[in-house]
Amino acid sequence: MLRFAEAAAALAEIERWLLPPACLLCEQPVPAREGDALICGLCRSRWRPVAGPCCERCGQPALGDLGCRLCADWAPGLMRVRSAVWLEGTAREAVHRLKYEGWWRIAEALAEAMRALEPLTGQVSLIPVPLGKRRLRERGYNQSERIAAALGAKLALPVRTDWLSRVKETRTQTALPPEARQANVAGAFETPGVAGAACVLVDDVFTTGATLAEAGAALLAGGAPRVEAVTFARARLPVQL
């Protein structure tokens, strides 16, 4: 058995030498030290982190002494949101590959970029933002659930897919202007009850936060004492004064 395992490992090394895996984003060979990663370290290093100072609640970069207008109209519930990188360049391409091209294992690289986000400290439960049934059938999986599963494995945190459900089919948020997004997701989520559980919502992209805020309100109504959220990327919005 040991000899068979050694032979299999040797064949795998030969295969890698003859056919080295290529990065999905830059199409260059992935170094052997990075194993079977789908996105190489060089591409990941080019993702631009979302840096402070920022709004304490929604995580949007602060505009001097001006108050944050992005989360001013959010319903109570969601206390804090943090995002890892800006949605631009190869970070945008990675999200596209995850959501629309079936490359669900990219979630591992996205989760690695997210693992140090502040809401992920302590004893929290990860709750992926659920998709509607129609979109789930079309895509075959929930990209937020894949990211949450990768985060849970890296940080030894529980992932609860049964604590939040989408009960209203909504139009895709990407097709709507910011002012229409909140109305689109109103009443979209419900929970069977999460009394006493500190919850962290997990999603791929933060734009206006309308979906996360509505999901957070549902969890608060279900008994969660604290609801926060993390996303891989954050879209840049026009400055509104």
Side-chain angles (χ1 to χ4, degrees), residues 134-135 166 169-177 180 184-185:
R134 176 179 55 80
R135 195 163 296 131
R166 187 181 289 257
E169 292 283 351
T170 58
R171 295 171 60 189
T172 177
Q173 294 284 77
T174 57
L176 298 174
N184 184 51
V185 294

Side-chain angles (χ1 to χ4, degrees), residues 5-75:
E6 292 173 346
L11 287 173
E13 286 298 317
I14 294 173
E15 181 182 26
R16 185 180 180 88
W17 181 74
L18 293 173
L19 296 170
C23 172
L24 282 178
L25 303 184
C26 68
E27 299 182 350
Q28 295 300 308
V30 176
R33 64 180 179 275
E34 296 178 22
D36 60 350
L38 295 181
I39 301 177
C40 71
L42 181 59
C43 282
R44 295 197 303 271
S45 72
R46 291 170 175 161
W47 294 343
R48 290 211 308 134
V50 178
C54 64
C55 171
E56 178 60 29
R57 189 180 188 196
C58 70
Q60 194 71 356
L63 295 174
D65 295 330
L66 297 175
C68 182
R69 300 184 63 179
L70 184 60
C71 59
D73 296 328
W74 284 5

